[in-house]
Amino acid sequence: MQRLALAAADIQDFGAVSARTVVAGVEVVCDPLGALFLPETRLLVVSDLHLEKGAAFARRGMMLPPYDTLATLKVLEAVIARHDPAIVVSLGDNFHDRVGSAHLPDVFRARIAAMARGRDWIWINGNHDPDGTVDLPGQSADELHYAGLAFRHEPSLLSPAGEIAGHLHPAATVVRREKAVRRACFATDGNRLLMPAFGLMSGGLDLRHKAMAGLFDRQSLVAHMLGRDRIYSVRFANLLG
């Protein structure tokens, strides 16, 4: 919940803790709250919100704390306030199941509408929510090609340079003060970038996992790890695993 604590603080305090990098010639900013910002086009990217995850589990008879949607939306509100984007792209698994957006309580629907006011908003379809959203602002699409980049939920080995994707929830581990520290991360080799899961109840998959095989040039791969109050950029060779 460290991102929720940061979001509740003064957003102006965190402008210097982001990490800038380049993907296929496009400058991007990795925000420690877990969003990617493209300054030239004022486009903000988040991925794997997994809204209504607690409700989805409850429908299956498994009780989880019911606060995940509110917590995730609070962090999203903070990162939107910080960057004031013209376009917001949510890279799939926006909701944890197919009916999540249809059952979304009105109070959360109103918060999303307020964030989307005056902006273009694109919901990329994911494997958890392939049918798009219901009665929410913006439009749904399987993928988006914009500003020289391709935005989609699942990364493709066939994709040329310039892919921004989610789905895999990348995470990385380093040793700090003689202890192993594992964090969600942005992962990029300069050709492709994988987004961390933005949902606060989402897990992570290590960059050495077999699902990551072939996606990156490991000699160029950098994990931009989400720290408590900043991004830590660590080359793949220096990660545990």
Side-chain angles (χ1 to χ4, degrees), residues 43-239:
L43 184 148
L44 183 79
V45 189
V46 292
S47 187
D48 296 275
L49 301 178
H50 286 274
L51 297 173
E52 293 296 272
K53 184 174 184 176
F57 274 82
R59 284 190 284 272
R60 295 167 176 80
M62 295 176 283
M63 296 298 107
L64 291 178
Y67 313 117
D68 59 296
T69 297
L70 176 59
T72 297
L73 290 180
K74 282 184 176 180
V75 179
L76 185 56
E77 287 168 345
V79 80
I80 285 177
R82 180 182 301 170
H83 295 287
D84 189 22
I87 307 168
V88 175
V89 178
S90 187
L91 278 186
D93 286 359
N94 309 297
F95 289 84
H96 194 68
D97 64 12
R98 288 176 181 262
V99 301
S101 67
H103 289 268
L104 185 69
D106 288 343
V107 62
F108 298 143
R109 204 174 292 277
R111 293 183 88 129
I112 293 172
M115 284 187 277
R117 193 168 296 120
R119 300 182 170 90
D120 292 328
W121 196 294
I122 298 96
W123 303 96
I124 300 298
N125 300 324
N127 57 296
H128 280 255
D129 54 353
D131 304 320
T133 59
V134 176
D135 294 331
L136 287 172
Q139 56 186 308
S140 297
D142 289 332
E143 58 183 53
L144 171 71
H145 294 264
Y146 185 78
L149 299 172
F151 301 87
R152 58 175 61 95
H153 179 59
E154 296 189 38
S156 170
L157 289 173
L158 302 178
S159 177
E163 180 183 72
I164 309 293
H167 182 58
L168 293 177
H169 302 201
T173 305
V174 295
V175 173
R176 189 167 185 262
R177 296 175 183 173
E178 300 183 350
K179 293 183 179 180
V181 179
R182 189 171 188 266
R183 292 285 186 269
C185 68
F186 301 87
T188 183
D189 60 359
N191 288 316
R192 163 187 284 116
L193 185 143
L194 287 188
M195 296 284 299
F198 197 85
L200 296 190
M201 283 180 60
S202 301
L205 199 62
D206 193 87
L207 286 180
R208 297 181 185 274
H209 192 277
K210 62 182 180 180
M212 305 283 184
L215 291 177
F216 299 107
D217 172 7
R218 289 188 169 183
Q219 290 187 338
S220 303
L221 178 58
V222 176
H224 298 286
M225 301 172 67
L226 278 59
R228 185 180 66 180
D229 55 2
R230 58 166 289 185
I231 291 284
Y232 292 87
S233 300
V234 182
R235 299 191 69 82
F236 180 79
N238 296 327
L239 299 173

